Amino acid sequence: RKYSGLDGYFFLRLIRMNLRICAVTSFWAMLVLVPIYATGTNQNGEKGWYHVSAANVIDGSWRMWVPSVFAYLFTGFIFFVMKQEYRHFLELRMDFLARGSSHVNPQHHYSLLVENIPYDLRSEKALYEYFDKLFPGKIHS
């Protein structure tokens, strides 16, 4: 965060989150789904990778419930991980908006763009005096 800012930091967090989701899902898929698929009855005589896929399971078999439950559980897991990351994002974002960062001039956090200025206020002195009347003692430049 110190060198790349929040955008770069959260891009790396996104990659980390995706790696975490894929690693956990792959581990449990290998542990649960592959044995369920591999022990199915191969009625069509497929060879190769079909032995460890849903093609190896008979339609209407109880084994087809396992991938369905697996999908619901891991959808919940993905939402849980995303919620954790979103909370982390909100913490850092609120902290950044409240304090800013050390390499950015604090004045930039409080600057405004004013458009459609009347002609009589288009000099620096006139505009300063106008805003100083509205916000006494709070105008920097």
Side-chain angles (χ1 to χ4, degrees):
R1 285 189 327 224
K2 185 177 179 181
Y3 299 106
S4 65
L6 282 181
D7 291 340
Y9 174 71
F10 280 111
F11 180 68
L12 293 175
R13 291 281 298 203
L14 175 72
I15 293 171
R16 181 178 158 241
M17 179 187 74
N18 290 335
L19 180 64
R20 180 178 170 197
I21 289 170
C22 288
V24 170
T25 305
S26 298
F27 173 77
W28 286 106
M30 293 295 170
L31 198 67
V32 175
L33 291 181
V34 170
I36 291 291
Y37 293 152
T39 57
T41 57
N42 187 359
Q43 64 185 14
N44 297 331
E46 289 98 357
K47 297 185 188 306
W49 286 104
Y50 287 109
H51 287 289
V52 289
S53 72
N56 199 31
V57 179
I58 299 174
D59 291 338
S61 172
W62 65 271
R63 294 173 191 272
M64 287 309 290
W65 282 99
V66 176
S68 301
V69 172
F70 187 84
Y72 280 108
L73 288 175
F74 281 95
T75 300
F77 171 71
I78 290 168
F79 285 143
F80 172 74
V81 171
M82 288 175 64
K83 186 177 180 182
Q84 281 183 329
E85 287 298 318
Y86 187 65
R87 283 185 178 167
H88 181 68
F89 167 75
L90 284 180
E91 284 178 26
L92 292 180
R93 180 72 178 153
M94 291 300 141
D95 184 54
F96 177 77
L97 290 175
R99 294 192 185 114
S101 62
S102 60
H103 64 278
V104 176
N105 186 348
Q107 183 181 357
H108 293 288
H109 293 286
Y110 304 105
S111 298
L112 296 174
L113 174 65
V114 181
E115 295 179 333
N116 298 326
I117 300 172
Y119 286 107
D120 56 332
L121 295 176
R122 290 200 177 176
S123 71
E124 188 174 334
K125 183 180 178 187
L127 192 61
Y128 178 83
E129 289 173 358
Y130 174 75
F131 278 110
D132 197 42
K133 285 179 190 175
L134 292 175
F135 308 103
K138 295 187 179 182
I139 306 302
H140 177 47
S141 59

